[in-house]
Amino acid sequence: MRVFLLVVGLLWLVPTIGLALSSLREPADISASGWWEVFTIPSQITVENYTHLLRDETITNSLLSTVAITVPSTLLVVVIGSLAGYAFAWMEFPGRDWWFLGVVGLLVVPVQVALLPVSRLFGTIGIFETTLGVILFHVAFGLPFAIFLLRNFFAEIPRELLEAARLDGAGELGLFFRVVMPLGGPAIASLGIFQFLWVWNDMLVALIFADSKNPPITVALQQQVRHFGDNVSILAPGAFLSMVIPLAVFFAFQRQFVSGVMAGAVK
């Protein structure tokens, strides 16, 4: 079984390895042969493509634009989702269960359904093709899952801990920051990873709502594909770089991600 899993893992990594090696080859070498030629001719490896990439303002600006969209979208979803999840789990207010059912119902709403009406709304209020518009769209569609995930996790916190904190004089904000947040770290980390990967790799929403003059990296690379034969030295390293960053984020929080996914699985 271990050998089988190792083989499957290596096969799964073949496209990534091929893209990484292609990004280290000259355009003439890429056109002449496959990336596996690097193993027989190591002299083909060069970092010149990445030098060209860093000099390309379109790609560098698109990376900055992607960061400007992804970071606020992730932080807002995590913060608002955490507060709402705590409220649905431990606070009493009229219609709480019905409101939560409405949030769960929003999980089945596809993004494509909202593209046209939201684009008209953003055009009316003047935020169409702006970074703010993309952020608001991602936050709106990321919150239902965030609230659903964190509410279920927070509801598993022993009531005795909250009651003990209340006896010590903690209010709702004190309970949230001193008890719920430390215990909910794994679930919050999992949510942050999910949201970060979704926003970073998104192209549909960015293609419609982002600034066409300064698009995110996914749209910028898609535009580069139209001229593949002329700029493969930029396309290959740009695609690999756009993939490495979310992978680095995932592996940095891998332990918290696994803990959050497995939370509640074993009593």
Side-chain angles (χ1 to χ4, degrees), residues 50-61:
Y50 286 93
T51 303
H52 293 162
L53 177 70
L54 296 177
R55 293 175 181 173
D56 191 307
E57 293 185 358
T58 301
I59 298 298
T60 54
N61 290 337

Side-chain angles (χ1 to χ4, degrees), residues 75-97:
L75 292 178
L76 287 173
V77 167
V78 169
V79 172
I80 299 175
S82 299
L83 293 170
Y86 171 76
F88 280 116
W90 293 108
M91 295 181 66
E92 298 289 342
F93 54 89
R96 184 186 67 174
D97 294 338

Side-chain angles (χ1 to χ4, degrees), residues 76-89 93 96 99-107 139-155 187 191 195:
L76 287 173
V77 167
V78 169
V79 172
I80 299 175
S82 299
L83 293 170
Y86 171 76
F88 280 116
F93 54 89
R96 184 186 67 174
W99 280 107
F100 184 69
L101 287 177
V103 171
V104 174
L106 292 175
L107 289 172
V139 170
F141 274 86
L143 279 176
F145 175 74
I147 296 173
F148 173 76
L149 175 68
L150 295 180
R151 182 266 179 192
N152 292 338
F153 186 90
F154 292 161
L191 172 63
Q195 181 69 10

Side-chain angles (χ1 to χ4, degrees), residues 16 19-20 23 50 53 59 63 200-201 217-218 220-222 224-225 232-247:
T16 303
L19 180 61
S23 67
Y50 286 93
L53 177 70
I59 298 298
L63 283 173
W200 183 279
N201 294 321
I217 186 64
T218 52
L221 292 176
Q222 186 268 341
Q224 296 286 335
V225 173
V232 66
S233 61
I234 294 177
L235 182 61
F240 182 73
L241 184 61
S242 69
M243 180 179 61
V244 165
I245 294 176
L247 282 177

Side-chain angles (χ1 to χ4, degrees), residues 66-133:
T66 305
V67 173
I69 292 172
T70 304
V71 173
S73 299
T74 303
L75 292 178
L76 287 173
V77 167
V78 169
V79 172
I80 299 175
S82 299
L83 293 170
Y86 171 76
F88 280 116
W90 293 108
M91 295 181 66
E92 298 289 342
F93 54 89
R96 184 186 67 174
D97 294 338
W98 289 105
W99 280 107
F100 184 69
L101 287 177
V103 171
V104 174
L106 292 175
L107 289 172
V108 302
V109 178
V111 175
Q112 294 81 358
V113 173
L115 293 177
L116 183 58
V118 173
S119 61
R120 290 180 177 176
L121 173 63
F122 284 0
T124 301
I125 62 180
I127 60 173
F128 187 71
E129 287 198 352
T130 63
T131 300
L132 177 61

Side-chain angles (χ1 to χ4, degrees), residues 164-247:
R166 286 193 176 96
L167 290 176
D168 290 337
E172 295 298 339
L173 289 178
L175 288 174
F176 178 75
F177 287 107
R178 296 180 181 180
V179 179
V180 175
M181 288 292 287
L183 294 176
I188 294 172
S190 299
L191 172 63
I193 292 173
F194 274 123
Q195 181 69 10
F196 184 92
L197 295 179
W198 176 49
V199 178
W200 183 279
N201 294 321
D202 170 74
M203 187 177 73
L204 177 62
V205 177
L207 188 63
I208 296 175
F209 294 98
D211 186 358
S212 57
K213 297 180 180 179
N214 188 23
I217 186 64
T218 52
V219 178
L221 292 176
Q222 186 268 341
Q223 295 173 349
Q224 296 286 335
V225 173
R226 302 175 184 176
H227 311 284
F228 180 79
D230 299 329
N231 56 6
V232 66
S233 61
I234 294 177
L235 182 61
F240 182 73
L241 184 61
S242 69
M243 180 179 61
V244 165
I245 294 176
L247 282 177

